[in-house]
Each structure stands twice: as structure tokens, then as C-alpha cells.
Amino acid sequence: MKLVFATNNKHKLQEVKEIVGNRVEVLSLKDINCYDDIPETGSTLEENALIKARWISEKYNCNCFADDTGLEVEVLDGAPGVYSARYAGEECNPEANMHKLLQNLTGKTNRAAQFRTVIALIINGEEHLFDGVVKGNISTEKMGEAGFGYDPIFIPQGYNLSFAQMTSEAKNSISHRYRATEKLSKYLKENYD
Ligand code: IMP
């Protein structure tokens, strides 16, 4: 079976391919010659994932899935959430985003947060949503160099290390995206094997 993943992010593509295995051929947007800048105008992760998946499925008439991720901080009522990439402005600068979040949490003792990924799958005209969550805390300063995005300031529950101090294998074995992709993979196995 072929499935288009509405992304050109090589890391995400690799991670997803490893989880779903050989049963499914996962294609990127580049593989189908799609260079569209798909507008992410939704106000929830679910809406944005569906917008991207519907765009591809309607334009290219194919089975596909799309994801959207947010970092949800408890004392900020779930912010930055769906706006995580653009928290400090449209430039989507991870350093500026982390700086703004640390500033907004100055003096706060409750630093609980979670990463949440939503995957929207459109297959044979049916829509399905899968989510994955990893709970943790926001550190008081950046720790570590690995990973991307908010990794240096996110400490997963049960660890003393930030995501940026963990190996990619360790992070990927507990991450929000891993957990959502596992659900997608299980669904495909149960229904399309
Ligand atoms: P996207 O939906 O994957 O594009 O992610 C939205 C925002 O969350 C971006 O600012 C990413 O940098 C951030 N983000 C997504 N996944 C991760 C992660 O695994 N670690 C750190 N930041 C992430």
C-alpha cells in the first residue's frame, strides 16, 4: 500500500517509516511533486492535521496522512499549543520561541507541560484521527544540544534529562510523535494487512 505523508521533514519521514515498516510505502510531498505551502489556518491541532490531509487527498486523489504538533503548558492554559511554531513570531525561530516561553514562566513553580501530536489519516475516503502525548516539565534554562524545536527545555516525566540531552533513539521511543504513529501503524495493520 502507498500512503503520502504530508511533510518534507526528513527526520519525521524516517521516524514514521521505521514505525510503520515495509508493509506501507510512505511517500513525501516531494515524492509526489507537491511544493504547495499548505495554509495551517486551524485553531486546533486536529483542524490543522485535517486541513493538510484533505488538501493532499483532494488535489492528488490519494490515501494520505498529515500531522500537527503542539507544546501545551498547563499554567498558560495550553499555550503555545497549536501556535507553537510561531509563538515568538512568523519567522518560526526555535531560539526565540524558547526564550519567550521561559520568560512567560519566570517565577512559576508549576512547569507541567505536554507535547501532543495529532495525525489525520484519509484512506479510501474515510477520515481517522490518532493522537500521542508525552507529559513532562519545562526546565528553567536550556539543557542540551540535540534534537530540534523546544527539545532543550522539555524534560519528559521520569527523566532528569531534557529531550535535547537524550539520544534520538531514547527520545523517539517515548515521544508524542512515536505514540501517535504507533496508533496509526496499529490501525493500518488491523485493517489493511
Ligand atoms: P510541527 O507541527 O511538527 O511543525 O511542530 C510545531 C512546533 O512544535 C514547532 O515549533 C516544532 O519545532 C515543535 N515541535 C514539534 N515536535 C517537536 C519535538 O519533538 N521536539 C521539540 N519541538 C517540537
Side-chain angles (χ1 to χ4, degrees):
M1 185 202 329
K2 286 187 184 186
L3 263 185
V4 175
F5 182 11
T7 189
N8 276 323
N9 181 316
K10 281 193 223 135
H11 301 288
K12 284 189 186 179
L13 205 61
Q14 188 54 33
E15 203 177 313
V16 165
K17 280 183 178 178
E18 280 168 20
I19 297 169
V20 299
N22 295 332
R23 290 172 297 108
V24 181
E25 187 183 351
V26 182
L27 304 172
S28 69
L29 290 180
K30 210 165 135 202
D31 291 330
I32 59 164
N33 287 316
C34 172
Y35 297 96
D36 298 353
D37 189 13
I38 306 172
E40 297 189 25
T41 49
S43 55
T44 62
L45 298 175
E46 284 79 2
E47 275 174 31
N48 273 348
L50 278 169
I51 287 171
K52 287 185 270 185
R54 284 176 185 151
W55 179 292
I56 299 304
S57 122
E58 282 163 21
K59 185 163 171 187
Y60 296 88
N61 193 25
C62 59
N63 292 327
C64 71
F65 63 97
D67 73 336
D68 202 27
T69 294
L71 177 60
E72 301 172 332
V73 179
E74 196 169 277
V75 289
L76 301 178
D77 296 325
V82 70
Y83 305 108
S84 294
R86 295 163 276 158
Y87 192 41
E90 287 301 323
E91 304 80 38
C92 299
N93 175 342
E95 288 299 321
N97 287 339
M98 283 189 284
H99 181 73
K100 179 170 175 183
L101 186 53
L102 290 177
Q103 289 287 110
N104 286 345
L105 290 180
T106 305
K108 304 265 193 245
T109 46
N110 176 4
R111 305 186 72 90
Q114 63 180 26
F115 272 116
R116 193 163 69 91
T117 291
V118 173
I119 293 177
L121 168 72
I122 303 184
I123 191 158
N124 300 337
E126 281 180 23
E127 295 182 347
H128 302 272
L129 292 172
F130 307 94
D131 74 349
V133 169
V134 58
K135 291 184 183 294
N137 285 286
I138 303 298
S139 56
T140 48
E141 55 185 26
K142 290 193 289 170
M143 296 157 47
E145 304 288 333
F148 69 99
Y150 293 89
D151 278 349
I153 61 169
F154 184 80
I155 303 173
Q157 221 166 55
Y159 292 77
N160 294 319
L161 302 172
S162 76
F163 264 170
Q165 292 174 311
M166 297 170 70
T167 61
S168 62
E169 290 77 18
K171 176 191 164 186
N172 292 343
S173 69
I174 57 165
S175 82
H176 42 302
R177 208 169 7 264
Y178 174 78
R179 289 173 175 166
T181 309
E182 275 270 300
K183 289 184 189 170
L184 166 74
S185 179
K186 186 165 176 275
Y187 174 82
L188 292 172
K189 203 171 187 170
E190 286 172 0
N191 292 277
Y192 291 93
D193 227 8

